[in-house]
Amino acid sequence: MTETIQMKQATCIAPVNIAVIKYWGKRDENLILPINSSLSGTLSTDQMCAKTTIAISKSFERDRLWINGKEQDASGKRLQNCLREIRSRCGSEIQGCHYHICSVNNFPTAAGLASSAAGYACLVYTLGRLHDLKDDLSIIARQGSGSACRSIYGGFVKWEMGHKTDGSDSIAVQVAPETHWPEMEVLILVVSDKKKGVSSTSGMQTSVKTSKLLEYRAEKLVPNLLAEMETAIHQKDYQAFAEITMKDSNQFHAVCLDTYPPIAYMNDISHKIVQLITRFNQHYKEYKACYTFDAGPNAVLYVLAKDVPQILSAVCHYFPCTENQDSYIQGLSNYADVKEFSQEIESAIGLDPMPGSLTGIIHTRVGDGPRAIADLNQSLLGDDGLPKC
């Protein structure tokens, strides 16, 4: 950057990722180094994404941050860790400059829908584009939010826990691109879009201190599950993929309950969804859908495209919409696409419907990673470096 450039900016979008082998617990809080490796699917930015515009200028008096239309404190440790890493790579080129950062999510923040992963991945990717960096951005994104490193890539992505104390080998690597398994789709059942009671950061810290099951899971269970999951993805073996995904989700929430005081991210509706998917699969004597729950009550179902109509029909039967049908299902499907549920299957499943218990359903698929937005009209910041609205 030269003295003649008063301000420059970049705008990008970045995806959510949903882990099928969970990350829970850090061995280094400052560098955000995990106690186990993890693996996730990156979701399409067509349905869910963070969007960020970053401007840099010597005329800015300080770093400033706006999220979803509200100015936030830009002095936070994790944000500044990311900015420090960028500044160290750019050196004297940006000395004396400050950043204005404006970001929006098109999905609820802090509701267990991986908003921090998308947000920090978008922040770091946009900074990388702004400065044309060729470095491994996953190392920097990890220092904002651990799982953000996995949102730097599309498809299926593994976060290697690494072993070095400086974190240089704790990076994200792509296991398979989004084109590898195009039939893999995702249904997100939004039980609550409210902020969760116990943050992931706080929950992890308590689990590391108090849960013996967490230590056993990280050392004895995850390495085998991870290897089996990579094989299932490479072979596009949905039956293996589904079983591993559900077992890992169950183990993760068992760790949360083993934590003292116990942490309950799932609620009664979450458990009813587990019952539905379990009985549905039992009826067909094969896996038609698999569930996973992050640190929140919302269910994420990985489903092959051919089985989505049946699963949507079942979900809408047992969790019927009571108002605003037009917006109940968003993304690749809508409410008009839902077929009538089979009475034969209803008799086999034997559950009572829970009307109005879901906020909505998002239908998406495994997609690609972050990308730049070249259209200046899409920028969130004006020519003065302040939010357009």
Side-chain angles (χ1 to χ4, degrees):
M1 181 177 298
T2 66
E3 291 290 340
T4 58
I5 299 177
Q6 295 300 311
M7 183 184 80
K8 72 173 183 177
Q9 63 173 253
T11 301
C12 300
I13 59 173
V16 168
N17 74 75
I18 298 294
V20 291
I21 303 293
K22 307 293 187 189
Y23 142 63
W24 194 251
K26 308 178 188 74
R27 67 181 190 276
D28 187 309
E29 287 283 344
N30 185 49
L31 294 175
I32 309 187
L33 302 178
I35 63 172
N36 65 270
S37 298
S38 55
L39 195 153
S40 60
T42 299
L43 306 189
S44 172
T45 53
D46 290 342
Q47 284 77 43
M48 298 174 68
C49 69
K51 179 181 179 182
T52 300
T53 297
I54 302 178
I56 184 170
S57 175
K58 286 191 174 182
S59 68
F60 297 159
E61 296 180 356
R62 66 186 191 279
D63 295 329
R64 297 180 70 180
L65 170 69
W66 294 266
I67 298 177
N68 293 328
K70 295 182 179 180
E71 185 161 13
Q72 309 287 334
D73 182 8
S75 65
K77 181 179 179 181
R78 292 190 175 190
L79 172 62
Q80 287 300 323
N81 281 349
C82 293
L83 297 184
R84 184 194 65 243
E85 291 293 325
I86 296 294
R87 285 179 166 126
S88 69
R89 286 160 171 77
C90 295
S92 60
E93 180 187 358
I94 62 170
Q95 188 173 359
C97 294
H98 289 94
Y99 294 104
H100 282 189
I101 303 162
C102 189
S103 185
V104 296
N105 296 332
N106 65 353
F107 57 95
T109 299
L113 291 174
S115 58
S116 63
Y120 274 104
C122 202
L123 168 80
V124 172
Y125 187 82
T126 307
L127 287 166
R129 295 291 298 214
L130 187 66
H131 298 301
D132 196 26
L133 295 179
K134 305 302 181 187
D135 304 56
D136 184 346
L137 297 177
S138 74
I139 292 178
I140 305 174
R142 186 201 74 224
Q143 295 181 60
S145 173
S147 55
C149 70
R150 298 191 306 251
S151 280
I152 293 294
Y153 302 103
F156 293 94
V157 184
K158 178 170 64 172
W159 175 12
E160 297 275 12
M161 62 177 286
H163 298 282
K164 296 180 180 179
T165 56
D166 66 356
S168 58
D169 60 346
S170 185
I171 61 174
V173 293
Q174 189 179 62
V175 172
E178 68 278 5
T179 54
H180 170 70
W181 205 350
E183 301 87 358
M184 186 65 81
E185 298 190 358
V186 175
L187 296 173
I188 301 173
L189 312 188
V190 184
V191 175
S192 172
D193 57 6
K194 303 295 188 295
K195 185 176 181 179
K196 56 197 175 191
V198 179
S199 72
S200 297
T201 298
S202 175
M204 286 187 204
Q205 290 171 345
T206 308
S207 292
V208 168
K209 291 176 183 176
T210 64
S211 174
K212 295 295 183 184
L213 182 56
L214 174 67
E215 182 179 348
Y216 181 80
R217 175 180 182 269
E219 294 180 0
K220 303 296 184 182
L221 301 179
V222 169
N224 290 334
L225 286 174
L226 198 63
E228 291 169 5
M229 178 58 81
E230 287 192 66
T231 299
I233 290 170
H234 286 307
Q235 296 180 353
K236 295 193 281 190
D237 181 350
Y238 181 77
Q239 296 303 302
F241 176 95
E243 184 165 316
I244 297 165
T245 296
M246 291 186 285
K247 283 183 175 180
D248 184 79
S249 179
N250 295 344
Q251 285 177 9
F252 160 56
H253 288 278
V255 166
C256 292
L257 291 176
D258 185 56
T259 299
Y260 191 81
I263 306 168
Y265 285 117
M266 297 171 65
N267 61 21
D268 289 346
I269 301 168
S270 308
H271 291 295
K272 182 66 71 104
I273 293 169
V274 170
Q275 285 184 299
L276 170 60
I277 299 304
T278 300
R279 295 184 188 186
F280 194 94
N281 289 334
Q282 287 173 340
H283 174 76
Y284 281 98
K285 297 182 173 58
E286 66 173 348
Y287 296 121
K288 293 282 191 178
C290 63
Y291 59 78
T292 186
F293 293 80
D294 279 348
N298 303 310
V300 178
L301 309 182
Y302 279 92
V303 186
L304 293 181
K306 66 181 179 62
D307 294 318
V308 166
Q310 273 189 306
I311 300 302
L312 262 182
S313 175
V315 169
C316 289
H317 177 79
Y318 288 102
F319 304 96
C321 175
T322 55
E323 57 184 23
N324 301 324
Q325 288 188 355
D326 290 343
S327 60
Y328 190 59
I329 302 176
Q330 300 180 38
L332 300 176
S333 296
N334 56 60
Y335 205 80
D337 297 328
V338 178
K339 298 179 180 178
E340 186 175 352
F341 192 57
S342 165
Q343 290 186 345
E344 177 188 352
I345 304 174
E346 181 181 10
S347 299
I349 290 177
L351 294 174
D352 293 326
M354 298 180 68
S357 54
L358 294 185
T359 300
I361 301 168
I362 303 169
H363 181 192
T364 183
R365 59 166 59 95
V366 173
D368 58 4
R371 66 177 186 269
I373 305 296
D375 184 0
L376 293 178
N377 292 323
Q378 295 296 314
S379 171
L380 300 174
L381 295 172
D383 294 337
D384 57 358
L386 296 175
K388 290 182 177 178
C389 59

